[in-house]
Each structure stands twice: as structure tokens, then as C-alpha cells.
Amino acid sequence: MSNFVSGRHFLQTPGPSNLPDRVLQAMDRNAINHRGPEFGALGRDIVAKLRGLLQTRAATIGIFPASGTGAWEAALANTLSLGDRILISRTGQFSHLWEQMALRFGLDVVSLETDWRRGADPLAIGKILQQDSERRIKAVCTVHSETSTSCMTDIAAVRQAISRADHPALLMVDAISSLGCADYQHDGWAVDVTIAGSQKGLMVPPGLSFTAISDKALAAARAGGSRRSYWDWEPLVTANRTGFFPYTPAISLLYALTEALDMLAEEGLPAVFARHDRYAQATRLAAAAWGLELQCADPAAYAPGVTAIRTPQGHSADNLRNMILDRFNMSLGNGLGRIEDRVFRIGHMGDLGVLSLTGALTGVEMGLRAAGVPHRAGGVQAAMEFLASANG
């Protein structure tokens, strides 16, 4: 029996996201000399475009040939030393992994537990900082959009909590699944270290990580931190001026990145964010019509790029995903950590149109029926009615 499947595979994971044809075509060219003038111009142009997307004028921009995990490690290694204390909110699997990395660095981690159904609590963060009379906490680490749970954290409110406590801690933010999907203001929210990756809202293959570094964070790195070489931020200061990298850059991915950044600029960031919000709302309306519960229990914290949906008790989310993959050629995100096999995640970020989204929701509704998951019909219809009105 043939394994051939006709039609295009639907990649509806919350990263890697679908690659636009323009991005694919941008990579279809030969490499250039990464020490020549053409590359220097490319590097400077990308730094300027990333500053626009991150909404920062003064931050030092780092681009590493690595996943977002590499930018996490760079943030910890440059600013913190063995035994330093940090505060991190456990809002999902990715904040948990950041915490585990910090522990391997020998940092003293103060953890704020949550039920993985909401973002970080700025009031709880502020209370701990106010109680830190010796100012031992060196950094507050939070995930803007927790991909595993589809919950957002209000970064502006976290900064306000730090300011009210008059605390000198650095604010570090993982924006890996929010950058390019939601408004993000590195300068406006006084973030010290922003961490991001290429494979989600930026519509580029995995393999690039980004960081925006405030003057305060750069000063902390110059004054101490841990041993580092590849991850050292200091060469980035020169690189931002010259456009040349302190290591061999991922040239083809940079071709892709500059094209993707041009696409975001052409659409306009307000329109990009509004589009993601529409698709997220349509997906939530479908889930409500199906009678299924969202993993994110706080409407103020709904993420624009991904929606995590809980399966009814006794029904395997992984079995549902496998059924959908086998029968309808669509990949959905799986549950991670403590919600493994309890949720499936629909990615609606990056290069996505109305018909692609409704097609994905159709695959889910057919999959629910095929897998015998209790639900009501009509989720796709609810999403279509909203999208027809919203796009009109």
C-alpha cells in the first residue's frame, strides 16, 4: 500500500511555523563573503530592522546561530555569577526549562508557582522584591507568551512592580513566541534582556536566536557574570556598528530573516498584531462551540499565536493529534511537562491566511469525531462566521 499523501501538509504547531514562499526563495542563492562589504551592509540592515520590531532605539542587538535556548544561556552567563539569586515565575514548560538551566548554572532560584493556566502575577513578584531588603535578587525572569499553555504575561505590569519596589533587579523576558505576533516594547517596558527566536512569528527556519540588551544589562556583563566565550556579549557592540559577526554567521538564514522582516514591515506591525488576535479569537470561538476547555483560564492572558485546548478527562490529546496527522495530514502541538497528553495546541502564528486557519479548524473538528472525543459540532462554523465579519 502506498504511503503517498496528496496535498500540502498542514503545519499548525506553534513553531516551527509555516515559511512564506518569499522567505524560501530568499534562501535560494549562494552564500557571500561574510567578511566582505556586501555582508556588512546586510548585517547592519538586519540589526536596524530588528530594532524596529523590538521597538528599541538604544539596545545592543545580538544574533546567534542557535535556538532560543542559546540566547537564554547567553543572558544568564553574561549577567549572573555562581550563587546569584534570581526570581522566576513557573507559568509553563518553557519557564520551567529556563529555571532548570539557571539551576545548572549554580544560581539560587526563587520560584513563583502557578497552575499553568495564567501568566505571571506582577503583584506576587512585587511583594517578593519588596521583601528583598538586602537586594539579593539580581534578575526577574519571565516568559511573555508561554507557548506550552498559550498564556501571556503583562510585561509592562511586571516592570511597574519592579519599579514600585525600587528594586535594581534586571528584567529578562523570553519573547520567543510573542515577537512578531504581539506588541512588544523593549524600551517602553524598560526590559533589560529580551530573548527571541526565528521559527515562530518571524516566519524563518529554526536556527537563529536574538537578544536585545539594555545598557544596564551590558554594564552588569562587563562588571561580572560567568565564564563565557561564544556567548559573550561584548563583541556584539562592535558587530552592531560594523554588521560583521564575531563568528561564522548563518548566511542563508539571514537572507530569510531580512525578507521576513520586510514582509512584516510591508503589512505593518499594527495589522500583523491585529491579524494574530483575530485568528486567536476565531480559534477560541471554535473551541467554545466544541464545548472544550482552554488551558488558559484568564481571558486577559490569551496568547495571539497559539491556543492550547484541553481534552475531556479520560481522552488522550496525543491520540487525537496522531489521528489528525494520520487521517488529515496535519501536525498540531503536543502537551508538554505536567500537561503532557492533556492538551493539544493549535498554532496560528506567522504566515497564515483565513482559509488556512479554517482548514486547520476543519481538520480538528473531523479529528475530534474520528477519535471519539466528546464534543459538539459547529466549531468551524463559529470561527467562519466571526472571520467573515472581522475580515469584512
Side-chain angles (χ1 to χ4, degrees), residues 33 46 95 111-112 133 137 140-141 195 198 213 240 249 268 331 372 381:
N33 176 15
I46 288 174
S95 58
S111 300
L112 271 174
S133 58
I137 295 173
V140 174
C141 301
I195 292 159
S198 59
I213 308 158
N240 277 203
S331 294
Q381 186 65 36

Side-chain angles (χ1 to χ4, degrees), residues 25-254:
Q25 291 161 6
M27 292 188 289
D28 188 19
R29 54 178 290 200
N30 202 2
I32 56 176
N33 176 15
H34 66 285
R35 294 288 176 256
E38 184 181 357
F39 184 86
L42 174 67
R44 292 191 298 273
D45 184 56
I46 288 174
V47 167
K49 291 172 180 175
L50 284 173
R51 282 206 177 102
L53 181 61
L54 288 156
Q55 299 187 59
T56 178
R57 301 184 67 169
T60 298
I61 302 298
I63 305 173
F64 291 106
S67 69
T69 306
W72 277 356
E73 182 158 331
L76 298 180
N78 278 274
T79 60
L80 300 163
S81 302
L82 182 69
D84 279 352
R85 180 172 292 176
I86 67 169
L87 174 61
I88 191 164
S89 296
R90 291 177 179 161
T91 52
Q93 179 67 5
F94 290 97
S95 58
H96 169 71
L97 293 175
W98 202 358
E99 176 188 21
Q100 293 302 303
M101 178 186 286
L103 292 171
R104 287 192 290 273
F105 264 82
L107 301 179
D108 178 9
V109 180
V110 178
S111 300
L112 271 174
E113 190 61 85
T114 74
D115 58 3
W116 285 30
R117 304 199 66 184
R118 62 206 74 246
D121 183 352
L123 294 179
I125 291 171
K127 183 177 180 180
I128 289 178
L129 294 177
Q130 288 168 356
Q131 294 170 348
D132 182 30
S133 58
E134 297 179 1
R135 299 300 192 249
R136 291 192 58 195
I137 295 173
K138 303 299 183 184
V140 174
C141 301
T142 187
V143 177
H144 188 206
S145 176
E146 177 53 75
T147 323
S148 65
T149 65
S150 68
C151 294
M152 297 277 284
T153 288
D154 185 340
I155 302 302
V158 173
R159 166 47 72 189
Q160 291 165 6
I162 297 171
S163 298
R164 282 195 300 269
D166 194 23
H167 201 287
L170 297 169
L171 174 57
M172 299 187 184
V173 178
D174 172 339
I176 292 172
S177 69
S178 61
L179 192 65
C181 300
D183 186 35
Y184 187 85
Q185 301 178 34
H186 179 88
D187 286 359
W189 299 337
V191 179
D192 292 298
V193 183
T194 296
I195 292 159
S198 59
Q199 74 277 16
K200 297 183 184 286
L202 268 62
M203 308 178 291
V204 173
L208 292 178
S209 63
F210 315 104
T211 187
I213 308 158
S214 73
D215 288 343
K216 179 180 174 181
L218 196 60
R222 287 169 172 164
S226 303
R227 289 184 178 180
R228 68 268 186 185
S229 176
Y230 180 79
W231 301 118
D232 189 23
W233 283 344
E234 190 59 36
L236 301 177
V237 178
T238 300
N240 277 203
R241 293 196 303 269
T242 65
F244 297 111
F245 285 54
Y247 35 72
T248 302
I251 297 172
S252 296
L253 291 180
L254 294 174

